[in-house]
Amino acid sequence: MKALVPLLFLPLIAWAEPATVIRPTDLKAEPASDAATVKQLAENTPVDALERKGGWTRVKAGSAEGWVKMLVLRYSGAGDTKRGDTGLTQAINVARTGSSGTQVTTGVRGLDEAQLAKAQPNPAELAKLDRYAADRDGATRFAEQGKLSATTVPYP
């Protein structure tokens, strides 16, 4: 009977996905920035990614298990994404900042030096981005509709 117990964990092992921590980070007990730190993970620490929750990934690093922000992980191949992620999912993933549930965007992940070295300009995509820019009049109208007022903030 004891020999069968490890077989119960085979499905969990099959879903683990190898990854590497790309910068020093805290391994958290829960998927929140204000959660207790289980341990500090050094850059290039190999981990097994077990599950995703918002902008956090539960990982196993040696005998320790906990949560890291998804953006500190690089999966097995350069530019690979987490199984099941679509481009839209990657674009809108956010990281929970604490127990308050506040959501913030956290950036882009997965670019390494080789990809950056091969990067090419894409004028068509830049033109698409330019269409999202607000002109001064449009921004002023938006501010007035929202009853917003200008505030001068001194340079730090």
Side-chain angles (χ1 to χ4, degrees):
M1 183 66 174
K2 288 182 182 180
L4 295 177
V5 172
L7 293 176
L8 294 174
F9 295 101
L10 278 178
L12 296 175
I13 294 169
W15 286 103
E17 192 167 356
T20 304
V21 175
I22 61 171
R23 63 181 170 267
T25 192
D26 291 333
L27 183 65
K28 298 288 192 174
E30 299 292 327
S33 295
D34 59 356
T37 298
V38 175
K39 78 184 264 188
Q40 178 74 23
L41 298 178
E43 183 177 353
N44 296 321
T45 299
V47 297
D48 286 323
L50 304 172
E51 96 181 82
R52 285 263 306 273
K53 186 174 187 180
W56 293 83
T57 303
R58 186 170 60 92
V59 299
K60 183 170 179 152
S63 62
E65 192 172 306
W67 295 84
V68 297
K69 291 181 179 176
M70 71 173 201
L71 299 177
V72 301
L73 296 177
R74 178 174 298 124
Y75 292 91
S76 56
D80 286 354
T81 58
K82 185 79 173 87
R83 183 183 0 250
D85 279 358
T86 64
L88 179 60
T89 302
Q90 293 172 46
I92 62 174
N93 271 328
V94 293
R96 187 167 165 220
T97 61
S99 56
S100 68
T102 302
Q103 303 286 316
V104 296
T105 58
T106 53
V108 178
R109 81 167 169 98
L111 297 178
D112 60 20
E113 288 182 42
Q115 289 172 313
L116 290 173
K118 290 189 273 182
Q120 296 292 318
N122 188 334
E125 291 299 313
L126 183 58
K128 281 185 193 177
L129 287 175
D130 284 341
R131 290 196 299 256
Y132 291 108
D135 62 16
R136 186 174 191 87
D137 292 335
T140 301
R141 282 192 306 276
F142 176 81
E144 288 169 353
Q145 288 173 352
K147 297 182 173 86
L148 303 174
S149 60
T151 302
T152 302
V153 179
Y155 187 78

